[in-house]
């Protein structure tokens, strides 16, 4: 589901998934999960491009995995891109 704006419900849902991810670091065996990060510099003008690429990746991977083997477990794929720099206003 894609939202055109961030709602209170969407924020609550995403926060719950982030909390699940934090819990998985301690409670899910390494072989059954992947939590990874990259830190890099970029031009913020390309955020719309990055968001579109992420959307395409999520859709493509979920479609592929939903058609491989038997679907016996439910997973969450959570990807975020957030600024780490404090911008000068």
């Amino acid at each position: 589901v894609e939202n055109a704006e961030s709602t209170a419900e969407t924020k609550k849902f995403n926060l719950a998934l982030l909390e699940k991810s934090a819990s998985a670091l301690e409670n899910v065996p390494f072989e059954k999960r992947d939590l990874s990060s990259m830190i890099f510099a970029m031009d913020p003008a390309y955020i719309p491009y990055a968001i579109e690429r992420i959307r395409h990746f999520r859709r493509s991977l979920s479609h592929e995995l939903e058609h491989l083997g038997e679907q016996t477990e439910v997973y969450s794929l959570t990807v975020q891109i957030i600024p780490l720099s404090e911008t000068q206003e």
Side-chain angles (χ1 to χ4, degrees), residues 40-50 81:
F40 56 93
M42 65 172 278
D43 182 337
Y46 288 93
I47 285 294
Y49 171 77
I81 185 165

Side-chain angles (χ1 to χ4, degrees), residues 3 5-18:
N3 293 328
E5 62 184 54
S6 182
T7 65
E9 293 82 15
T10 303
K11 290 176 185 178
K12 184 176 178 181
F13 177 74
N14 283 312
L15 184 57
L17 289 177
L18 290 172

Side-chain angles (χ1 to χ4, degrees), residues 58-74:
R58 287 191 333 248
R59 290 176 183 147
S60 175
L61 183 61
S62 67
H63 179 78
E64 183 178 341
L65 294 174
E66 288 173 337
H67 293 87
L68 292 173
E70 294 183 40
Q71 296 72 42
T72 58
E73 294 188 36
V74 176

Side-chain angles (χ1 to χ4, degrees), residues 23-69:
S23 174
L25 280 171
E26 299 294 333
N27 301 311
V28 176
F30 182 77
E31 309 79 45
K32 291 190 159 214
R33 61 160 172 86
D34 177 61
L35 282 94
S36 54
S37 300
M38 292 181 66
I39 297 175
F40 56 93
M42 65 172 278
D43 182 337
Y46 288 93
I47 285 294
Y49 171 77
I51 289 170
E52 186 54 38
R53 291 285 310 270
I54 291 167
R55 285 180 179 152
H56 176 76
F57 166 73
R58 287 191 333 248
R59 290 176 183 147
S60 175
L61 183 61
S62 67
H63 179 78
E64 183 178 341
L65 294 174
E66 288 173 337
H67 293 87
L68 292 173

